[in-house]
Amino acid sequence: MTSQLNGSVLKAFKILDLFASGKSELTARETADALGINMITAHRFLHTLVHAGALRASARGVFRLGYMFADLGDRVLRDGDLPTLLQPILDQLALDTGEACMATEFDRDMAVCIAKALPDRPLYVDIRIGSKLDAFCTAHGKLWLAYMSPDDQARYFKNATLTGMTDHTITDIKTLKSELETIRAQGFATNNGERENDIYAIAVPITTQHGKMISAFSVFGASPATLDQNRMDLIAKLTAAAHTAQSTLYRPA
């Protein structure tokens, strides 16, 4: 299989990957140093990527990502098979935890269930694929808010109405923003009966290798005592499942 790989293509993608670490601009010298190649080769790669539309020259010797990626980035999630990739991991998570589990993506200020797995016992809380969850009062929703860029989060709060769904719903923006900071720092979010009474959940993010959140896993159910008593074990299993999901995203077919 290795003999069938094209080294030049792999180097080109290594150049593009330099932008994923947070760079907005790239020079030939930075490219040469990062890839361990000479300046002539670096220039050739960069100008070839400009010709292909993957990069654009913003100034002499300075390169930025091309506009083709604006559409491609959205299409990866819209046209991809993320639920199919996540389902086996979610099934194993439900088996390991004995709880109902789900995965979400974010659409129009709501977390949307894209996959679920149910425990092997008579009684459990269920959810339909496609169900939408309010961002401000669910574990998945708060997780998505916590991992948003500051600009996207500001846009959300500009338009949001924090309606009290239950006695436990956080309706004060300052208090919610403080919780979002805690969620980002600790790496998980909880729902303590905030959307519906007696429905509790713990959720963790699934991220790209560079930290962009693309989905989330949770366990959810009607027993706060169970979730509280087994919290650390559940978080450990959720985190392990999220790491498996991340590895699956980058695994060759």
Side-chain angles (χ1 to χ4, degrees), residues 4-80:
Q4 296 178 3
L5 302 181
N6 188 299
S8 294
V9 174
L10 292 176
K11 277 192 172 64
F13 274 90
K14 285 183 179 179
I15 292 172
L16 296 175
D17 197 47
L18 295 175
F19 289 97
S21 62
K23 279 186 172 295
S24 59
E25 297 181 335
L26 194 64
T27 65
R29 169 52 62 192
E30 290 171 323
T31 303
D33 291 345
L35 272 64
I37 57 179
N38 60 50
M39 286 286 289
I40 294 175
T41 302
H43 274 291
R44 187 170 72 250
F45 271 107
L46 290 167
H47 285 289
T48 299
L49 288 169
V50 169
H51 180 75
L55 295 181
R56 57 191 171 93
S58 59
R60 184 176 178 83
V62 180
F63 301 86
R64 287 177 173 266
L65 285 175
Y67 291 111
M68 66 181 291
F69 288 106
D71 289 333
L72 291 178
D74 288 336
R75 285 195 62 188
V76 169
L77 296 179
R78 187 177 68 246
D79 300 340

Side-chain angles (χ1 to χ4, degrees), residues 81-94:
D81 57 351
L82 187 59
T84 302
L85 291 173
L86 297 181
Q87 190 63 57
I89 306 168
L90 205 58
D91 290 339
Q92 185 61 50
L93 181 61

Side-chain angles (χ1 to χ4, degrees), residues 65-149:
L65 285 175
Y67 291 111
M68 66 181 291
F69 288 106
D71 289 333
L72 291 178
D74 288 336
R75 285 195 62 188
V76 169
L77 296 179
R78 187 177 68 246
D79 300 340
D81 57 351
L82 187 59
T84 302
L85 291 173
L86 297 181
Q87 190 63 57
I89 306 168
L90 205 58
D91 290 339
Q92 185 61 50
L93 181 61
L95 187 64
D96 291 342
T97 62
E99 299 291 341
C101 304
M102 70 171 160
T104 61
E105 57 187 24
F106 201 72
D107 182 49
R108 300 179 187 179
D109 293 342
M110 304 279 277
V112 181
C113 176
I114 60 172
K116 67 175 182 178
L118 302 176
D120 184 19
R121 52 186 168 84
L123 296 176
Y124 50 78
V125 177
D126 196 1
I127 188 170
R128 294 190 305 274
I129 302 296
S131 293
K132 296 182 177 182
L133 308 174
D134 301 278
F136 68 95
C137 60
T138 60
H140 278 270
K142 288 188 289 183
L143 200 61
W144 283 104
L145 290 179
Y147 277 78
M148 277 183 181
S149 68

